[in-house]
Amino acid sequence: MDSKSQNQEMKITITLPTSAYFISGIRDFTLNMVKSTTNFEEKWAYRFQSVIDELCNNAIEYGSAPGQDIKVTFIHSPDNFLKIIVEDTGTGKNKMTAKELETLFNERRKPDHVFTGIRGRGLIKIVGEWSDEIKFENSKEGGIKVAITKYLKDARKKDDGLSKISEQKTNPEPIILNI
Amino acid sequence: MTDVKITIEDTAGQADKKVKIVHIVGQLDESNVDEKIKEIYSVIETNPQNLHLIFDLENLEYMNSKSIGYLTDIYGKLTETGGKMAIAKAK
């Protein structure tokens, strides 16, 4: 990869069937992609693995019906941030708006919220804790789009010198994988 | 389905308590955790008092939040009946 393309923002979109059986592949992809193409510390590759797993599980369980799909998008801005977006089709068993999901997220994020039972920790304890920004939006197709952003500044590999931040292209050539 | 293998090993223990080591190898995620965790609950059911479990996670490559939830539930069940739980070598 030449130096010009190394500084370009990278966008990868993957479409998956609504099935938990495919999530391990996305986890592996996330782990390897973060390790090999970003300057995040290695521990963040494992954290993003968990983040993507939790977001995809929620989209599969609640957001998209069996036979439908979910869409996962990675946007990497070199020396700046990694953004992960997971989108469902809104056909799942728990129809919810982005606003309702955001309200639920904020409720469970309160310090006095007690987690009981087996479920419900993923979005708060993993996704919320390991991202700098999280946004919930209604998608045009009727589903929900959850976007998390993690900035590199606090998570840079320690043995990597500061890279020169060059101008970023805002219209990258997208890579689209359909599984 | 993601691969995971759970083996439960008896140890010498003491007269008044049973100590078992739960070895988990592979990955626990949404595709398998609900089914595989039953193996551990089965051990708890057949040992209703003073059961001590040591979870060997040395070869557990991944676990999702539901797996963690199950561990907290198991902890509650064990401690309510005089037992204990320990987690070893988590990555």
Side-chain angles (χ1 to χ4, degrees), chain A residues 21 27 53-54 57 118 121, chain B residues 1 27 29 62 65 70:
Chain A
Y21 293 100
R27 290 201 303 270
D53 187 77
E54 298 298 331
N57 282 333
I118 287 157
R121 292 172 177 78
Chain B
M1 187 183 292
Q27 301 187 19
D29 69 7
Y62 181 82
S65 62
Y70 275 122

Side-chain angles (χ1 to χ4, degrees), chain B residues 37-86:
Chain B
I37 208 73
K38 290 176 186 173
E39 297 176 28
I40 300 171
Y41 280 102
S42 174
V43 171
I44 296 172
E45 279 175 29
T46 54
N47 297 275
Q49 295 291 329
N50 300 324
L51 176 63
H52 292 58
L53 293 181
I54 301 168
F55 284 83
D56 169 21
L57 304 187
E58 182 177 18
N59 294 303
L60 179 62
E61 298 297 326
Y62 181 82
M63 64 187 304
N64 67 353
S65 62
K66 189 190 274 188
S67 310
I68 296 171
Y70 275 122
L71 284 182
T72 64
D73 187 59
I74 288 166
Y75 172 81
K77 284 181 163 38
L78 291 175
T79 52
E80 279 170 12
T81 55
K84 287 186 180 177
M85 185 175 107

Side-chain angles (χ1 to χ4, degrees), chain A residues 44 46-48 50-51 126-132 148 150:
Chain A
W44 281 99
Y46 291 96
R47 291 177 176 179
F48 290 134
S50 290
V51 167
I126 292 175
V127 179
E129 290 294 323
W130 285 339
S131 58
D132 292 321
I148 71 103
K150 180 65 190 172

Side-chain angles (χ1 to χ4, degrees), chain A residues 18-54:
Chain A
T18 310
S19 171
Y21 293 100
F22 295 102
I23 302 304
S24 63
I26 286 293
R27 290 201 303 270
D28 290 344
F29 175 82
T30 303
L31 182 71
N32 290 314
M33 183 206 54
V34 174
K35 275 186 181 179
S36 62
T37 66
T38 76
N39 285 331
F40 281 93
E41 279 185 280
E42 191 181 28
K43 67 181 180 185
W44 281 99
Y46 291 96
R47 291 177 176 179
F48 290 134
Q49 201 186 29
S50 290
V51 167
I52 199 75
D53 187 77
E54 298 298 331

Side-chain angles (χ1 to χ4, degrees), chain A residues 63-64 69-71 85-91 95-99 135-146:
Chain A
S64 293
D69 50 45
I70 65 169
K71 194 159 72 175
I85 306 166
V86 176
E87 186 176 346
D88 61 58
T89 56
T91 53
K95 183 70 180 168
M96 199 184 260
T97 65
K99 186 69 184 164
K135 284 186 186 172
F136 303 90
E137 288 178 299
N138 294 314
S139 71
K140 293 174 199 167
E141 291 77 18
I144 292 178
K145 202 189 282 192
V146 181

